[in-house]
C-alpha cells in the first residue's frame, strides 16, 4: 500500500505540530463489580454504555479505572471498553502492541475520522448524491505530553485521546463528546506496522472505515462508508 509505512513512521517520530485547521465540532455524561459485556445485550447494533467515572486519558489503565465498563472483543484480538460520564463517551483499547487508532464517528450527514498515533488529527467527510466526500483533511497536532495542548484540542475537536508517546504502549484511551447521550461509531486499531492486519469493532465492519487509506495525511477525496452497520452507543443511566 503506497505511502502507508513512511507516513506512519513520520507520525510516530515527528516532534513538531502542524497548524490546526477549522474543525466541525459535534454538539455537546463495589469491591468485585459485575463486568457487563456485549454478549449480554440483545441488539448488537445498539448498545448501552454504563455510567462510570471520567477516565484520565493518559494511555495507562489505572487500577479500578475501567471497572464496570462494558467489554467487547476486537476482531483479530484485543479488547474494547466503553463507559460514559458527564456527556462524554470513554473508550479504552487494549491491544497486542503499540499502534494507532482510527475511530469513525457518524453524526447526521457527517463522518469524522479520529486519528491517534504520536499526534492527533481529525478528517471530515460529508454525504452527497454520490456518496461521501472529504471536506477536511487531517491536520496533526498534540505531539508529546503537553496537557494544555490536549485540553485545547478537546475543546476544538470535541474528542481527545492518549498518544503513542505516553502511557503503556499496548493501552489507548479516548474521550469523545456524545450528541444528546448517543453516538454512532466504529473502531479500528492498527498494531501491525506492516499493515497486514487491523483490530476492529464491530466484527462485521467491511467499509472504508476499516480501509487503511484513512491513515495518510492526505486521505482520498471520496470513500465508501456504511454507518448503518456501525454501533450506536447510548448512555445508560445505570
Amino acid at each position: 500500500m503506497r505511502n502507508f509505512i513512511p507516513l506512519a513512521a513520520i507520525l510516530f517520530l515527528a516532534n513538531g505540530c502542524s497548524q490546526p485547521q477549522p474543525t466541525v465540532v459535534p454538539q455537546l455524561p463495589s469491591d468485585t463489580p459485575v463486568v457487563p459485556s456485549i454478549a449480554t445485550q440483545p441488539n448488537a447494533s445498539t448498545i448501552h454504555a454504563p455510567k462510570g467515572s471520567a477516565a484520565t486519558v493518559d494511555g495507562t489503565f489505572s487500577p479500578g479505572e475501567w471497572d464496570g465498563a462494558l467489554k467487547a472483543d476486537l476482531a483479530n484480538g484485543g479488547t474494547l471498553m466503553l463507559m460514559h460520564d458527564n456527556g462524554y463517551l470513554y473508550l479504552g483499547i487494549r491491544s497486542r502492541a503499540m499502534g494507532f487508532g482510527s475511530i469513525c464517528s457518524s453524526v447526521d450527514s457527517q463522518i469524522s475520522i479520529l486519528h491517534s498515533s504520536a499526534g492527533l488529527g481529525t478528517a471530515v467527510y460529508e454525504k452527497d448524491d454520490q456518496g461521501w466526500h472529504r471536506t477536511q483533511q487531517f491536520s496533526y497536532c498534540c505531539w508529546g505530553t503537553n496537557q494544555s495542548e490536549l485540553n485545547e484540542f478537546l475543546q476544538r475537536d470535541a474528542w481527545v485521546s492518549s498518544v503513542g508517546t505516553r502511557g503503556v504502549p499496548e493501552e489507548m484511551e479516548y474521550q469523545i463528546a456524545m450528541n444528546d447521550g448517543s453516538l454512532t461509531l466504529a473502531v479500528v486499531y492498527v498494531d501491525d506496522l506492516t499493515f497486514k492486519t487491523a483490530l476492529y469493532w464491530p466484527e462485521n465492519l467491511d467499509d472504508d472505515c476499516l480501509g487503511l487509506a484513512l491513515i495518510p495525511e492526505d486521505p482520498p477525496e471520496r470513500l465508501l462508508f456504511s454507518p448503518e452497520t456501525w454501533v450506536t452507543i447510548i448512555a445508560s443511566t445505570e
Side-chain angles (χ1 to χ4, degrees), residues 127-133 222-224:
K127 193 172 186 179
D128 59 21
D129 293 339
Q130 302 178 41
W132 297 89
H133 72 284
R222 288 191 172 274
L223 289 173
L224 298 176

Side-chain angles (χ1 to χ4, degrees), residues 116-180:
S116 176
S117 57
L120 309 180
T122 308
V124 177
Y125 284 78
E126 294 187 359
K127 193 172 186 179
D128 59 21
D129 293 339
Q130 302 178 41
W132 297 89
H133 72 284
R134 190 190 67 227
T135 59
Q136 178 178 303
Q137 297 182 9
F138 288 117
S139 178
Y140 296 105
C141 74
C142 309
W143 313 95
T145 59
N146 187 322
Q147 190 60 50
S148 63
E149 190 175 20
L150 292 170
N151 291 340
E152 291 174 5
F153 184 86
L154 173 62
Q155 293 302 312
R156 186 180 72 241
D157 285 36
W159 74 278
V160 73
S161 79
S162 54
V163 293
T165 54
R166 67 187 301 193
V168 177
E170 298 83 6
E171 297 175 355
M172 182 170 283
E173 296 171 305
Y174 282 84
Q175 177 182 356
I176 308 172
M178 303 184 80
N179 279 318
D180 300 322

Side-chain angles (χ1 to χ4, degrees), residues 18-157:
S18 59
Q19 293 298 316
Q21 301 294 323
T23 300
V24 181
V25 178
Q27 295 177 354
L28 308 179
S30 128
D31 291 338
T32 307
V34 176
V35 179
S37 69
I38 297 298
T40 65
Q41 303 208 9
N43 186 355
S45 63
T46 302
I47 65 172
H48 291 78
K51 176 73 170 65
S53 299
T56 301
V57 185
D58 58 2
T60 299
F61 297 171
S62 300
E65 186 176 33
W66 292 91
D67 286 355
L70 187 67
K71 305 293 193 303
D73 292 332
L74 295 170
N76 294 324
T79 302
L80 174 68
M81 292 171 281
L82 310 92
M83 62 184 180
H84 76 91
D85 182 60
N86 195 30
Y88 287 98
L89 176 68
Y90 290 89
L91 302 178
I93 297 174
R94 175 171 283 122
S95 61
R96 301 168 298 195
M98 178 185 289
F100 49 88
S102 183
I103 307 293
C104 299
S105 173
S106 174
V107 178
D108 298 324
S109 60
Q110 182 181 95
I111 287 176
S112 298
I113 311 301
L114 319 181
H115 175 94
S116 176
S117 57
L120 309 180
T122 308
V124 177
Y125 284 78
E126 294 187 359
K127 193 172 186 179
D128 59 21
D129 293 339
Q130 302 178 41
W132 297 89
H133 72 284
R134 190 190 67 227
T135 59
Q136 178 178 303
Q137 297 182 9
F138 288 117
S139 178
Y140 296 105
C141 74
C142 309
W143 313 95
T145 59
N146 187 322
Q147 190 60 50
S148 63
E149 190 175 20
L150 292 170
N151 291 340
E152 291 174 5
F153 184 86
L154 173 62
Q155 293 302 312
R156 186 180 72 241
D157 285 36

Side-chain angles (χ1 to χ4, degrees), residues 198-210:
L199 317 182
Y200 58 91
W201 179 83
E203 64 179 0
N204 64 335
L205 183 65
D206 63 358
D207 62 14
D208 278 338
C209 183
L210 182 57

